[in-house]
Amino acid sequence: MEIQIMKKVLAANDAWAQENRRFLLEKSICMFNVIGSPGAGKTTFLERTIDELKKDFRVGVIEGDIATTTDAKRIQKKGVPVYQINTGTACHLDANLINAALLELTKKNQFDIIFVENIGNLVCPAEFDIGEIAKIAILSVTEGDDKVQKYPLLFTVAHTVIINKMDLLKYTNFKVKSVLKDCKKFSSRSVVFQLDSLSGTGFSKWVEFIKKFKK
Amino acid sequence: MEIQIMKKVLAANDAWAQENRRFLLEKSICMFNVIGSPGAGKTTFLERTIDELKKDFRVGVIEGDIATTTDAKRIQKKGVPVYQINTGTACHLDANLINAALLELTKKNQFDIIFVENIGNLVCPAEFDIGEIAKIAILSVTEGDDKVQKYPLLFTVAHTVIINKMDLLKYTNFKVKSVLKDCKKFSSRSVVFQLDSLSGTGFSKWVEFIKKFKK
């Protein structure tokens, strides 16, 4: 019974995801779905990315959190439109929630790029298509180098992998080579960036990449 | 409709949790449910805890992972019985899964303490009672000091909070005082330990506590 219901939930979600894709294409907006553990550095990554992009692109953010508006407030300080979704107990964002957020955000603003910061969770967000052009997985070196193997779905469906908090690498036993190998194993197409969102180490390659993605 | 189904799922889970509690009481086993983000250091925390306890207590571990048996193999090296559950896609352990694991583990062994390492996730594991005597929430300083506010349910239901990776504190902007305040806010009863599972800093207080808990 549970499997049947899950299938129905995912089918309903896919219909909304399809509608979001149509809507985004019509408006020529690239939407990225940023997924990582709690504390992987998703918001800090977005703050710095916005700083780098906002001169040339109209950027917007959809913030997903169980509770609080902390992240939306941080993004707001960067001077870009942001929409906060509080899911209460739901551990992922679905395409229906994103549809409502997109309609609201685009009422008054036009965008080139919208980033969705999903709920901090490596499991369920990977299962739900929200109509994004690409999923960006963020993994920080302080989480350990076994995470790609232990959460294979995300690293199979992610187009881009960010290895974050590289400045802390020397204080950990995280093996970058082993993670790169695992990333390749689960998705031969994925692009991996090694950077530190707080200090900006290695950030320029990522910025160059995302700029080309949109152009 | 979804809410009704969730209620049924939780009711079925609670019945199994109750059965697990009865079973554990009968055998005089303390079972702890260890919950934290991917990479919070749950396995390292358990490895060191086992080292400290195994002389005086018969310890067992139930390992929950989406995929891989990496953690079970690490625990096995400590010379204690371990049972690995791979959930495939499910983002939490439920009481039914734990019941099967308990029956299997206790076939050949007797225990004083069983630790359950839940799926790396701050959301859903907090919703499911598995029949544990207490939930132990692990939060590492590299995840940022806003996590208690952002994942309030776990820190409301957790009996014990471990602030882990304290040796890395000086390289982060994590404010311990602010987290202690948040922990108190969501649960006035929770006991908080600040430690580093890798080096052992601050570990003795936790060991003293857990030993008293069982005696």
Side-chain angles (χ1 to χ4, degrees), chain B:
Chain B
M1 190 194 78
E2 273 183 61
I3 291 171
Q4 281 308 314
I5 288 162
M6 192 59 193
K7 274 188 186 165
K8 277 189 196 166
V9 168
L10 286 175
N13 182 74
D14 285 351
W16 279 110
Q18 200 51 39
E19 166 54 19
N20 291 347
R21 239 185 295 277
R22 190 203 56 74
F23 180 86
L24 292 163
L25 191 67
E26 188 187 286
K27 299 208 177 297
S28 192
I29 301 170
C30 264
M31 183 172 81
F32 296 93
N33 184 0
V34 180
I35 301 174
S37 299
K42 296 182 290 301
T43 315
T44 308
F45 170 76
L46 287 180
E47 285 174 320
R48 187 170 286 272
T49 300
I50 292 165
D51 278 342
E52 297 283 348
L53 295 183
K54 70 181 174 188
K55 199 164 62 85
D56 304 320
F57 300 93
R58 296 163 299 177
V59 180
V61 175
I62 297 171
E63 277 293 339
D65 283 289
I66 298 285
T68 78
T69 54
T70 318
D71 291 353
K73 281 176 193 152
R74 286 172 60 186
I75 296 295
Q76 220 158 22
K77 283 189 188 154
K78 297 291 165 189
V80 302
V82 55
Y83 184 91
Q84 174 83 53
I85 299 173
N86 278 148
T87 61
T89 55
C91 59
H92 62 274
L93 296 175
D94 63 31
N96 191 353
L97 286 172
I98 295 298
N99 188 266
L102 284 175
L103 293 180
E104 200 56 44
L105 265 182
T106 52
K107 263 187 193 165
K108 294 184 189 162
N109 302 283
Q110 289 189 308
F111 297 98
D112 300 305
I113 299 173
I114 289 178
F115 292 104
V116 176
E117 182 178 343
N118 219 309
I119 309 290
N121 181 349
L122 291 185
V123 190
C124 306
E127 290 177 41
F128 283 77
D129 179 4
I130 56 170
E132 72 277 45
I133 195 158
K135 286 183 172 68
I136 300 174
I138 302 202
L139 171 67
S140 66
V141 301
T142 50
E143 291 171 56
D145 54 19
D146 55 354
K147 295 301 166 293
V148 178
Q149 286 192 28
K150 291 180 76 180
Y151 300 88
L153 178 61
L154 174 59
F155 295 91
T156 304
V157 297
H159 173 279
T160 304
V161 178
I162 305 290
I163 305 181
N164 196 20
K165 307 196 187 181
M166 282 296 287
D167 285 5
L168 293 177
L169 184 68
K170 53 182 173 289
Y171 309 115
T172 71
N173 50 16
F174 187 97
K175 290 177 205 74
V176 176
K177 264 193 188 166
S178 146
V179 169
L180 294 176
K181 206 175 136 190
D182 288 343
C183 285
K184 194 124 254 153
K185 182 180 152 197
F186 288 106
S187 170
S188 56
R189 304 157 307 143
S190 71
V191 189
V192 186
F193 296 94
Q194 301 169 42
L195 51 83
D196 191 288
S197 300
L198 210 55
S199 72
T201 307
F203 221 82
S204 56
K205 276 189 188 166
W206 152 249
V207 173
E208 205 178 302
F209 171 80
I210 190 91
K211 281 185 176 174
K212 274 194 196 143
F213 204 104
K214 174 62 194 170
K215 268 174 193 164

Side-chain angles (χ1 to χ4, degrees), chain A residues 111-174:
Chain A
F111 297 98
D112 301 305
I113 299 173
I114 289 179
F115 291 104
V116 176
E117 181 178 341
N118 219 309
I119 308 291
N121 182 349
L122 290 185
V123 191
C124 305
E127 290 177 42
F128 284 77
D129 179 6
I130 56 170
E132 71 277 48
I133 195 157
K135 287 184 171 68
I136 301 173
I138 303 202
L139 170 66
S140 65
V141 300
T142 50
E143 290 170 57
D145 54 20
D146 55 355
K147 295 301 165 295
V148 177
Q149 287 193 27
K150 292 180 74 179
Y151 300 88
L153 179 62
L154 174 60
F155 295 91
T156 304
V157 297
H159 172 280
T160 306
V161 177
I162 305 291
I163 305 182
N164 196 22
K165 306 196 188 180
M166 282 296 287
D167 285 5
L168 294 179
L169 184 68
K170 54 181 174 286
Y171 309 115
T172 71
N173 50 16
F174 187 96

Side-chain angles (χ1 to χ4, degrees), chain A:
Chain A
M1 189 194 79
E2 272 183 62
I3 292 171
Q4 281 309 314
I5 288 161
M6 192 59 193
K7 275 188 185 164
K8 277 190 195 166
V9 168
L10 286 175
N13 182 74
D14 286 351
W16 278 110
Q18 201 49 39
E19 165 56 19
N20 291 347
R21 240 185 295 277
R22 190 204 56 74
F23 181 86
L24 292 162
L25 191 67
E26 186 187 287
K27 298 206 177 301
S28 190
I29 301 171
C30 263
M31 183 171 82
F32 296 94
N33 185 0
V34 181
I35 301 175
S37 300
K42 295 181 292 300
T43 315
T44 308
F45 170 76
L46 287 180
E47 285 174 320
R48 186 170 287 270
T49 300
I50 292 165
D51 279 342
E52 297 283 348
L53 295 182
K54 69 181 176 189
K55 198 163 63 81
D56 304 319
F57 299 92
R58 296 163 299 177
V59 180
V61 176
I62 297 172
E63 277 294 339
D65 283 289
I66 299 284
T68 79
T69 54
T70 318
D71 291 352
K73 282 178 193 151
R74 285 172 59 186
I75 296 296
Q76 219 158 21
K77 283 188 187 155
K78 297 290 165 188
V80 302
V82 55
Y83 184 90
Q84 174 84 53
I85 299 172
N86 279 149
T87 60
T89 56
C91 58
H92 61 274
L93 296 174
D94 63 31
N96 189 355
L97 285 172
I98 294 298
N99 187 266
L102 285 175
L103 292 180
E104 199 57 43
L105 264 182
T106 53
K107 262 187 194 165
K108 295 185 189 161
N109 303 283
Q110 289 188 311
F111 297 98
D112 301 305
I113 299 173
I114 289 179
F115 291 104
V116 176
E117 181 178 341
N118 219 309
I119 308 291
N121 182 349
L122 290 185
V123 191
C124 305
E127 290 177 42
F128 284 77
D129 179 6
I130 56 170
E132 71 277 48
I133 195 157
K135 287 184 171 68
I136 301 173
I138 303 202
L139 170 66
S140 65
V141 300
T142 50
E143 290 170 57
D145 54 20
D146 55 355
K147 295 301 165 295
V148 177
Q149 287 193 27
K150 292 180 74 179
Y151 300 88
L153 179 62
L154 174 60
F155 295 91
T156 304
V157 297
H159 172 280
T160 306
V161 177
I162 305 291
I163 305 182
N164 196 22
K165 306 196 188 180
M166 282 296 287
D167 285 5
L168 294 179
L169 184 68
K170 54 181 174 286
Y171 309 115
T172 71
N173 50 16
F174 187 96
K175 289 176 204 73
V176 176
K177 265 192 187 166
S178 145
V179 169
L180 294 176
K181 205 174 137 191
D182 287 344
C183 285
K184 194 124 255 152
K185 182 180 154 197
F186 288 107
S187 169
S188 56
R189 305 157 305 143
S190 71
V191 190
V192 186
F193 295 94
Q194 301 170 42
L195 50 82
D196 191 290
S197 300
L198 209 56
S199 71
T201 306
F203 221 82
S204 55
K205 277 189 188 166
W206 152 248
V207 173
E208 205 178 300
F209 171 82
I210 190 91
K211 281 184 177 175
K212 274 195 197 143
F213 204 104
K214 173 61 193 169
K215 269 174 193 166

